[in-house]
Amino acid sequence: MGEEVMDSLSKVGSSSPRFILVHGVSHGGWCWYKVRALLEASGYSVTCIDLKASGIEPSDPNFVMSFQDYNQPLVDLLASLPNQHKVILVGHSAGGISVTEAIHKFPEKIEAAVYVGATMLKLGFQTDQDVKDGAPDLSEYGQAYNFGLRLGMDQPPTSAIIKKELQRKILYQMSPLEDCALAAMLLRPFPLAVTKAESKEEEKDDTEMVNRIYIKTLEDRVIKREQQEVMIKRWPPSQVYAIDSDHCPFFSNPLVLTGLLLKVATTTTTFLQVLPI
């Protein structure tokens, strides 16, 4: 697969579309560093965004009280782009919720939406079934989270982070040790408002015209393989790929992940070139 990736890198040009890479909870734009390097070496423009209270975005996660607030950096970025400027959105884990909101808001600006081991629910968490299908269930690990309690000990928590001693076991069991060490230094608590995300947008006529692709993460302990299969069945994408990885293929299998993203980009570009004007 490495030779296939490098062959793809040599074939794309400077006119290639722009990637926007969206992280999951507790992560930030930093987590894409390997994939970004490979995509940029191929001639692509890449933006690795930090959502609210993530990465180096300075907000306190305990004061982010809605998913819309959390996702505002992505909305602002897409709103700032000219209408003729189309992008390929890639969302990992809970970043899939951010990508779905973007599809509802800006379908005309999205060439393709790629879900990488991600939550892919058309309307977010509106029912108990949505939560069962799209939210992590880490109960098998006991009390897996440390919580932030801004509202007080007798009130619901406002932020959470997987305990440091469980991070490798849950998130990175197939990833290099040095990436686990990097993540342990950079992960931040995430606002629990993310877990209440649901679409507040009316579906536009062209929402279903956005090309959606799902990349299954086969050894995922967060968004488990069974959950991914159910979400794919409920809201079928145009294409499904699979990658042998833990929850974080940008660490555990970046060459294969990049190869799949390049395949999406070149396929999408070819498709657009043959459309009638």
Side-chain angles (χ1 to χ4, degrees):
M1 183 65 185
E3 291 181 2
E4 179 182 337
V5 171
M6 298 313 295
D7 183 57
S8 297
L9 290 175
S10 67
K11 290 180 180 178
V12 294
S14 59
S15 61
S16 303
R18 175 180 184 177
F19 278 94
I20 297 178
L21 309 182
V22 186
H23 60 82
V25 296
S26 287
H27 292 76
W30 56 268
C31 71
W32 298 101
Y33 77 98
K34 293 180 178 180
V35 173
R36 177 174 184 163
L38 290 168
L39 290 175
E40 289 183 339
S42 75
Y44 286 95
S45 172
V46 182
T47 297
C48 300
I49 195 167
D50 285 329
L51 300 177
K52 199 77 169 283
S54 305
I56 61 172
E57 205 286 328
S59 300
D60 185 334
N62 292 292
F63 288 84
V64 178
M65 303 309 293
S66 72
F67 171 74
Q68 284 67 34
D69 187 20
Y70 171 76
N71 202 40
Q72 197 62 46
L74 177 60
V75 172
D76 289 344
L77 174 59
L78 291 171
S80 71
L81 298 177
N83 285 335
Q84 69 274 17
H85 190 120
K86 288 182 174 285
V87 301
I88 297 174
L89 275 183
V90 182
H92 169 249
S93 193
I97 308 171
S98 298
V99 167
T100 298
E101 185 183 39
I103 289 174
H104 288 306
K105 284 181 175 291
F106 305 103
E108 71 284 355
K109 294 186 178 182
I110 302 172
E111 280 190 0
V114 185
Y115 295 77
V116 181
T119 298
M120 185 177 67
L121 299 168
K122 189 173 184 179
L123 298 175
F125 296 118
Q126 295 197 335
T127 68
D128 290 342
Q129 189 64 46
D130 294 332
V131 174
K132 180 180 178 181
D133 295 343
D137 178 5
L138 304 183
S139 57
E140 65 195 274
Y141 302 101
Q143 180 51 269
Y145 294 102
N146 288 325
F147 292 105
L149 299 166
R150 180 180 71 85
L151 301 177
M153 295 292 292
D154 59 341
Q155 297 296 317
T158 48
S159 68
I161 187 170
I162 293 176
K163 292 178 178 178
K164 188 162 290 190
E165 63 268 24
L166 292 174
Q167 288 169 6
R168 178 164 177 80
K169 186 174 185 179
I170 295 173
L171 297 169
Y172 313 120
Q173 81 272 14
M174 297 171 67
S175 298
L177 285 173
E178 57 268 31
D179 288 322
C180 297
L182 176 69
M185 292 187 287
L186 296 179
L187 290 177
R188 295 176 60 186
F190 64 92
L192 282 170
V194 178
T195 65
K196 300 177 177 63
E198 59 181 88
S199 176
K200 297 184 182 301
E201 297 293 316
E202 291 187 9
E203 187 177 356
K204 298 181 179 180
D205 291 340
D206 48 354
T207 296
E208 289 295 338
M209 297 300 292
V210 173
N211 186 27
R212 284 181 297 109
I213 298 93
Y214 201 97
I215 299 177
K216 296 189 291 184
T217 41
L218 298 180
E219 304 298 327
D220 201 319
R221 295 177 178 175
V222 179
I223 307 295
K224 297 179 176 64
R225 185 173 179 177
E226 296 79 9
Q227 292 176 286
Q228 297 175 40
E229 296 282 5
V230 171
M231 289 188 289
I232 289 167
K233 185 175 180 179
R234 286 181 59 185
W235 192 25
S238 59
Q239 187 67 51
V240 177
Y241 300 108
I243 184 170
D244 187 27
S245 78
D246 54 25
H247 183 58
C248 298
F250 42 73
F251 289 158
S252 62
N253 212 338
L255 270 180
V256 175
L257 176 58
T258 303
L260 291 175
L261 295 179
L262 291 173
K263 185 173 184 178
V264 169
T266 54
T267 301
T268 300
T269 302
T270 301
F271 174 73
L272 289 173
Q273 287 174 346
V274 301
L275 285 176
I277 298 176

